[in-house]
């Protein structure tokens, strides 16, 4: 691969919280029936690829996606790959949160800052994912191929790391169980190589 390291980020399949329109954050919500089917289809995309290492968030929806998509894989679990912590808003719908906490929830919507609810701010969560990139992905040997099972926010923060700027998540399409490919060149520079893939890689 000429010194190129391939890293495939995989967003988890639809969770029960996704299906019900509820904020999950660090809440341990399993995959829905559709989410399990999405994970199986992602496994078909990854079939035949040999991974030198597999990582997963330690939240159940990411681990379940990994076990379905890559049967037999033994992922290294990392809490650094978790979705942003929404604190007391875990397992609440937008309507419930807005009704109970109208002022505080306006801060969440404007700044993506869940610290008023005992959760994380956008920048705290992003710094956490950046630490994973620096300590794990940037230390991979050349010509490695790696899979990372994670969350929408994790993928967004990886993109921000690669581009060196913050992208508005509302401008991006990030489907459940989609694959996002990044490559690290021999020089150490990162590039985006594939976005939101749900068909042939």
């Amino acid at each position: 691969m000429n010194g190129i390291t391939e890293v495939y980020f995989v967003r988890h399949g639809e969770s029960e919280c996704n299906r019900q329109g509820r904020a999950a954050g660090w809440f341990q919500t399993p995959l829905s029936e559709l989410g399990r089917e999405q994970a199986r289809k992602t496994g078909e995309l990854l079939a035949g690829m040999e991974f030198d290492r597999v990582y997963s968030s330690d939240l159940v929806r990411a681990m379940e996606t990994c076990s379905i998509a890559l049967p037999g894989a033994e992922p290294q679990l990392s809490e650094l790959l978790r979705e942003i912590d929404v604190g007391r808003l875990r397992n609440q719908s937008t309507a419930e949160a807005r009704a109970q906490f109208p002022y505080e929830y306006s801060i969440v919507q404007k700044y993506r800052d869940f610290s008023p609810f005992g959760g994380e701010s956008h920048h705290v969560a992003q710094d956490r994912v950046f630490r994973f990139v620096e300590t794990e992905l940037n230390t991979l040997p050349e010509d490695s191929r790696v899979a990372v099972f994670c969350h929408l926010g994790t993928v967004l923060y990886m993109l921000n790391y690669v581009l060196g700027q913050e992208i508005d998540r509302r401008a991006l399409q990030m489907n459940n169980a989609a694959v996002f490919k990044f490559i690290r060149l021999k020089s150490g520079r990162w590039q985006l190589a594939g976005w939101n893939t749900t068909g042939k890689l």
Side-chain angles (χ1 to χ4, degrees), residues 89-147:
L89 296 185
R90 295 178 193 176
N91 203 30
Q92 288 199 33
S93 69
T94 299
E96 290 170 340
R98 188 180 287 120
Q100 288 183 304
F101 313 102
Y103 172 71
E104 293 89 344
Y105 197 72
S106 68
I107 295 176
V108 169
Q109 291 182 305
K110 186 173 184 179
Y111 300 108
R112 195 148 181 81
D113 181 1
F114 293 93
S115 57
F117 299 96
E120 295 177 302
S121 70
H122 159 73
H123 288 106
V124 167
Q126 178 167 267
D127 287 346
R128 171 165 51 76
V129 175
F130 282 11
R131 288 201 305 275
F132 174 81
V133 178
E134 294 286 356
T135 59
E136 297 292 338
L137 301 186
N138 281 347
T139 59
L140 290 169
E142 292 181 0
D143 298 323
S144 297
R145 178 180 288 141
V146 173

Side-chain angles (χ1 to χ4, degrees), residues 22 26 31 41 60 78 85-86 90 97 108 113 119 128 135 158 160 180 185 189 195:
R22 295 179 174 274
W26 293 3
L31 295 183
K41 290 182 178 178
V60 67
S78 175
D85 182 11
V86 300
R90 295 178 193 176
V108 169
D113 181 1
R128 171 165 51 76
T135 59
M158 178 62 183
N160 289 349
F180 306 81
L185 304 178
R189 187 164 62 90
W195 187 259

Side-chain angles (χ1 to χ4, degrees), residues 10-15 18 31 61-62 65 150-152 176-177:
V10 182
R11 186 188 175 197
H12 63 80
E14 182 193 68
S15 69
N18 289 150
L31 295 183
R61 57 196 186 271
T65 301
C150 55
H151 309 269
L152 182 150
N176 285 111

